[in-house]
């Protein structure tokens, strides 16, 4: 819920900074059904206990990342999508290397006020001997924000990419200023 909440804030910031919201409706995503299916499966396997074997749930979880990856690759020309892909890849690889669970830092979980249930399938949770633990859910979100949670570096990249995508597509003041600045820089001249 935290990433969804932050995405709504990014949308609102685009509108507040002169973005043309209707331009988002004009974007035609290739294979958008893959993204919707991946999100639906992730919500189902992490929020509803079907009693399915863990290896089936892990396979479904990893398949959602592969499906989203295909859709992202097909739409990679959109601004920010490569950043989103990098964040999703970090999360997906870390999940794959940790048996289907993104390792969470116990201190971050406690700080966020989250229990760490171990009976059901977990998208994120404490892992006994985590691989690439620094790419797991290592940070608690600030207490003053709603939907307390733990987040990863991959999640932060996904949010950064969403910001670039939304501000770029809606053509906010910041996006226009950056585009003008980049047009004025001669090739090979990287000085400010």
């Amino acid at each position: 819920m935290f990433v969804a909440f932050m995405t709504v804030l990014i949308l609102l910031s685009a509108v507040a900074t002169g973005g043309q919201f209707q331009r988002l409706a004009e974007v035609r995503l290739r294979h958008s059904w893959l993204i919707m299916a991946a999100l639906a499966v992730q919500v189902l396997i992490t929020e509803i206990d079907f009693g399915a074997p863990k290896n089936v749930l892990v396979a479904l979880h990893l398949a959602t990342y592969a499906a989203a990856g295909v859709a992202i690759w097909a739409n990679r020309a959109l601004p920010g999508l490569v950043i989103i892909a990098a964040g999703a890849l970090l999360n997906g690889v870390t999940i794959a290397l940790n048996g289907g669970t993104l390792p969470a830092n116990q201190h971050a979980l406690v700080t966020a006020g989250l229990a760490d249930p171990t009976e059901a399938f977990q998208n994120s949770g404490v892992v006994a001997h985590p691989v690439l633990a620094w790419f797991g859910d290592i940070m608690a979100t600030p207490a003053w924000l709603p939907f307390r949670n733990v987040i990863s570096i991959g999640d932060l990249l996904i949010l950064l990419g969403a910001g670039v995508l939304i501000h770029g597509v809606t053509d906010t003041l910041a996006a226009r200023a950056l585009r003008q600045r980049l047009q004025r820089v001669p090739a090979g001249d990287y000085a400010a």
Side-chain angles (χ1 to χ4, degrees):
M1 282 302 289
F2 179 77
V3 172
F5 169 74
M6 293 303 293
T7 302
V8 169
L9 287 183
I10 292 168
L11 285 165
L12 293 173
S13 73
V15 172
T17 57
Q20 301 164 31
F21 198 69
Q22 69 276 10
R23 290 176 59 129
L24 285 173
E26 297 168 4
V27 173
R28 297 290 170 239
L29 292 176
R30 295 183 192 120
H31 308 302
S32 60
W33 65 273
L34 278 174
I35 295 170
M36 294 300 120
L39 287 173
V41 170
Q42 277 205 2
V43 168
L44 287 173
I45 65 174
T46 58
E47 300 299 324
I48 300 172
D49 185 6
F50 291 104
K54 183 178 179 184
N55 59 347
V56 170
L57 296 172
V58 168
L60 284 171
H61 192 205
L62 294 175
T64 65
Y65 280 90
V70 168
I72 288 172
W73 180 257
N75 295 286
R76 65 190 177 278
L78 286 171
L81 219 51
V82 172
I83 300 169
I84 292 171
L89 183 64
L90 280 179
N91 285 349
V93 167
T94 306
I95 287 168
L97 293 174
N98 286 283
T101 300
L102 188 63
N105 178 283
Q106 181 67 46
H107 177 71
L109 286 168
V110 170
T111 301
L114 300 173
D116 185 33
T118 55
E119 306 84 44
F121 174 75
Q122 298 173 324
N123 173 49
S124 171
V126 175
V127 174
H129 302 287
V131 177
L132 300 177
W134 57 91
F135 290 135
D137 284 335
I138 58 172
M139 299 166 272
T141 59
W144 49 270
L145 285 172
F147 306 111
R148 287 302 304 271
N149 209 336
V150 288
I151 56 174
S152 66
I153 293 169
D155 295 335
L156 293 175
L157 284 172
I158 290 167
L159 287 171
L160 174 64
V164 170
L165 174 68
I166 291 167
H167 281 262
V169 168
T170 62
D171 200 32
T172 62
L173 294 172
R176 281 179 263 168
L178 179 61
R179 191 171 50 252
Q180 288 173 355
R181 171 75 174 132
L182 291 175
Q183 288 172 351
R184 287 192 310 244
V185 176
D189 182 11
Y190 302 106

